[in-house]
Amino acid sequence: MHSEQEIIAGCQQQKPAFQEKLYQLYSRKMMAVCMRYTRSRFEAEDIFHEAFVRVFANIHTYNGGSFEGWLRRIFVNTAINHYHKNRKYQDHLDYSLVEESSPAEDDIVSQISSQELLALINQLPEGYRLVFNLYVVEGFTHREIADMLQIAEGTSKSQLAKAKNYLKDLLHKYSISEKC
């Protein structure tokens, strides 16, 4: 068994056996990242493959630190680039009129699985989902998100607030439908 550093060194030398090992080591985690930024597995697979091509093309630029963090950033940036390229094909809907709702009495989040929660997050409108994932899951600041998505920082904050309200509404509906 090779260490992560040995695998990285082998990839930097463009050795296919080490590239395969790197792929096997991180493919599940990175596919999960791609799935968070898309609505379909097909779209996620496109991003996933494109990102791995970028990883292998740029692995010589990795110079220490958290390799998984370096890798994750490539996958997130590839997903954002995909969003920018395809934004012109998306329906432009106005989600600014999403109703605010009060939180449910029970702690709904503790009652649902992570897969169910991911499914709810995937129901968010595109812009909300991107900002929510970048801020809550990836830990980027609103300034970084604004730069990545080419939006105002205030828009990032607003999208996050609207995403949270939208999720609260979905969770409330989920709670009601589960009790019926």
Side-chain angles (χ1 to χ4, degrees), residues 5-141:
Q5 290 306 316
E6 291 170 326
I7 294 171
I8 294 167
C11 289
Q12 289 173 330
Q13 296 168 11
Q14 299 179 342
K15 293 183 178 178
F18 286 96
Q19 291 173 330
E20 177 66 24
K21 288 179 194 279
L22 183 75
Y23 180 89
Q24 289 173 354
L25 188 61
Y26 286 105
S27 61
R28 288 180 58 109
K29 284 182 183 178
M30 294 305 117
M31 178 54 98
V33 170
C34 295
M35 289 295 294
R36 282 199 303 269
Y37 290 93
T38 61
R39 293 221 184 266
S40 72
R41 182 152 187 97
F42 176 78
E43 194 177 2
E45 287 172 354
D46 273 355
I47 293 167
F48 176 81
H49 293 298
E50 183 181 338
F52 257 115
V53 168
R54 288 181 179 182
V55 165
F56 293 132
N58 295 294
I59 198 159
H60 65 278
T61 66
Y62 170 72
N63 57 5
S66 168
F67 181 73
E68 187 174 335
W70 179 85
L71 192 68
R72 180 180 296 273
R73 185 171 285 271
I74 290 174
F75 277 80
V76 169
N77 286 338
T78 302
I80 291 168
N81 290 341
H82 179 81
Y83 165 76
H84 284 303
K85 281 191 279 187
N86 295 304
R87 184 169 38 179
K88 61 186 164 206
Y89 303 114
Q90 310 270 338
D91 291 333
H92 293 287
L93 301 173
D94 181 12
Y95 294 101
S96 61
L97 301 176
V98 174
E99 293 180 24
E100 290 189 28
S101 63
S102 59
E105 296 290 324
D106 302 333
D107 183 9
I108 300 167
V109 176
S110 67
Q111 298 175 15
I112 63 176
S113 72
S114 59
Q115 288 179 332
E116 291 169 318
L117 186 57
L118 181 59
L120 291 174
I121 291 169
N122 281 337
Q123 291 180 42
L124 288 171
E126 187 82 24
Y128 295 5
R129 191 174 74 252
L130 279 171
V131 172
F132 183 85
N133 280 321
L134 290 169
Y135 187 84
V136 175
V137 179
E138 304 295 342
F140 289 103
T141 65

